[in-house]
Amino acid sequence: MALPSFNCENICKDIYDSWGKPNHLIQLLVSPSQLECRKIRETYLRIYGVDPVHLLLQRNKDSSQGNEAGSLFSEKTLVGLSMLMLSPHERDAVVAREAFEQGDSVNYKPLLEIFLCRKSSHVLLIQEAYYARFKKQLEQDIISIDPSHPYQRILMALCASHKALQTDVSQYIANFDARRLYKTGDENRGSVDEAVVLEILSKRSIPQLRLTFSSYKHIYGHSYVHSLKKEKSGEFEDALRVAVKCMSNPTKYYAEIMYECIKGTRIDKDAVIRVILSRAEMDMDEIQRAFKKKYGLELKNAISESEAPGDYRELLIALATKTATPSASSLRYSEPSSLLD
């Protein structure tokens, strides 16, 4: 269902009348842009005196407790709809918190995505939103992870990288760092020197690191990820390979993440909606093209085949088929590249 024009008050009234119609409500909230969704949230609060995000989360609570108020919607649908009306940094703060609440383990992939695919100014907003919502410091929660885990050490280095707030990139530094990485990896034919890698990750901005990996490929004829595959792969090398893939070619990385989730080979069951929401109005069209090129499937068809019929499947398909909004360029966090091809 396309919205012919954006009349915020009329949409809010339609939403108010649609709480018992899951599919209609999904279309009402999926069709607007992210900025329009936040305007709908503000207008709904002004008209009806209740935050629709809180209303959705309350219905989710009612549903989990078996109350009739939330029984028309699945839990995932209610949470997904509530995420649509959050600002990008609020949504990332929620995603980060959920990453820590995975039982006995931490879901490191969403945390890596935040620190690797967001500008430093956005990471600062995420940290502020994280504290405002959860009364905790995001960096302290990362510090509290078992320091023996390689993902924790990589995340701590990336936290330091964003604090540097570097703006310029240097080809000289990129070539210098690329040669250091080669000497501690390919040249030694052994495991990478973790201390050198973490030093580089902590002292360079994400754009500078991308240039380093581009220079590595230019100088040595193969990507750094390819180099890591050739080494005696340990836990740190495996984690580093994921981080470099995410940083260097987010389009390909996200396509692979969603495919693994759809096919049930990943524990991260919420990867599809997380990726669609975080990359909407940025490069979701490119991710879908990469998905089809690599796996021979349209994303919406893969979702339709893997998800059980219901409102959550309808939400995922509606989000996957939503056309990117050209005016949303201000929401773009990072530019995809193709350093790994």
Side-chain angles (χ1 to χ4, degrees):
M1 178 191 68
L3 298 179
S5 61
F6 182 71
N7 186 312
C8 204
E9 292 193 0
N10 286 345
I11 294 173
C12 288
K13 291 174 183 176
D14 206 354
I15 291 172
Y16 183 82
D17 294 330
S18 300
W19 291 110
K21 306 171 185 176
N23 289 346
H24 187 62
L25 185 60
I26 286 169
Q27 293 300 327
L28 284 171
L29 292 177
V30 168
S31 297
S33 70
Q34 292 187 17
L35 292 174
E36 288 170 343
C37 275
R38 298 200 293 278
K39 182 65 175 177
I40 289 170
R41 179 185 182 186
E42 296 169 1
T43 305
Y44 194 99
L45 176 60
R46 175 174 56 80
I47 295 175
Y48 298 107
V50 58
D51 187 338
V53 171
H54 295 164
L55 187 58
L56 285 162
L57 294 177
Q58 180 59 48
R59 283 176 174 263
N60 178 36
K61 182 179 179 181
D62 292 338
S63 179
S64 65
Q65 295 175 348
N67 297 338
E68 186 177 350
S71 60
L72 291 173
F73 298 84
S74 70
E75 175 184 353
K76 287 185 175 182
T77 298
L78 290 166
V79 172
L81 290 174
S82 70
M83 296 282 270
L84 276 169
M85 287 185 280
L86 299 179
S87 66
H89 54 274
E90 288 176 311
R91 184 165 55 244
D92 281 341
V94 172
V95 167
R97 186 62 202 160
E98 289 175 348
F100 293 106
E101 298 175 342
Q102 301 293 311
D104 296 331
S105 61
V106 175
N107 187 0
Y108 294 99
K109 301 296 193 307
L111 296 171
L112 275 180
E113 291 161 16
I114 286 171
F115 283 97
L116 292 172
C117 298
R118 307 292 187 264
K119 294 179 180 178
S120 293
S121 57
H122 186 81
V123 170
L124 180 60
L125 290 173
I126 295 170
Q127 292 170 330
E128 292 174 352
Y130 190 90
Y131 183 78
R133 192 178 185 106
F134 305 110
K135 305 307 179 208
K136 293 174 176 286
Q137 299 287 351
L138 176 56
E139 187 171 350
Q140 287 300 315
D141 279 347
I142 293 173
I143 291 173
S144 68
I145 301 171
D146 181 0
S148 68
H149 200 293
Y151 277 113
Q152 192 268 4
R153 301 195 292 279
I154 291 173
L155 284 167
M156 288 305 303
L158 294 173
C159 285
S161 168
H162 280 283
K163 287 179 182 177
L165 294 176
Q166 298 165 318
T167 56
D168 297 328
V169 295
S170 164
Q171 186 65 61
Y172 173 81
I173 292 175
N175 292 342
F176 177 76
D177 286 344
R179 291 189 174 94
R180 290 184 71 197
L181 291 172
Y182 182 81
K183 288 180 180 179
T184 63
D186 273 336
E187 193 171 87
N188 289 335
R189 301 296 177 187
S191 298
V192 302
D193 188 327
E194 182 177 330
V196 171
V197 171
L198 292 178
E199 178 192 347
I200 292 173
L201 290 180
S202 65
K203 290 184 176 180
R204 312 302 187 211
S205 67
I206 300 301
Q208 180 66 54
L209 289 169
R210 288 198 185 102
L211 183 58
T212 293
F213 296 124
S214 177
S215 298
Y216 190 102
K217 183 176 181 179
H218 178 75
I219 295 170
Y220 300 109
H222 60 266
S223 71
Y224 187 58
V225 167
H226 179 74
S227 171
L228 290 170
K229 289 179 181 178
K230 296 196 310 184
E231 307 302 337
K232 297 175 182 178
S233 185
E235 288 187 348
F236 182 79
E237 287 79 11
D238 290 342
L240 180 59
R241 185 164 59 247
V242 172
V244 176
K245 286 176 70 174
C246 179
M247 186 190 321
S248 301
N249 194 336
T251 300
K252 185 175 180 180
Y253 165 86
Y254 283 121
E256 291 176 355
I257 287 288
M258 288 198 294
Y259 181 80
E260 291 169 359
C261 177
I262 288 170
K263 292 303 179 182
T265 58
R266 286 179 55 84
I267 298 175
D268 185 4
K269 299 300 182 184
D270 296 325
V272 173
I273 194 165
R274 181 182 80 243
V275 171
I276 292 176
L277 288 176
S278 67
R279 308 309 292 186
E281 302 180 7
M282 294 194 298
D283 57 356
M284 196 61 219
D285 288 346
E286 296 171 42
I287 292 170
Q288 293 198 62
R289 285 194 292 271
F291 188 94
K292 183 176 182 180
K293 180 180 179 181
K294 186 174 179 65
Y295 304 110
L297 293 168
E298 294 284 355
L299 177 59
K300 63 179 181 180
N301 294 337
I303 292 171
S304 182
E305 292 171 5
S306 65
E307 283 290 333
D311 53 285
Y312 185 62
R313 185 174 75 173
E314 294 305 313
L315 173 61
L316 290 178
I317 292 173
L319 287 169
T321 55
K322 180 178 179 180
T323 303
T325 305
S327 62
S329 58
S330 61
L331 298 175
R332 189 178 289 269
Y333 309 143
S334 61
E335 296 295 333
S337 57
S338 55
L339 309 183
L340 306 180
D341 295 338

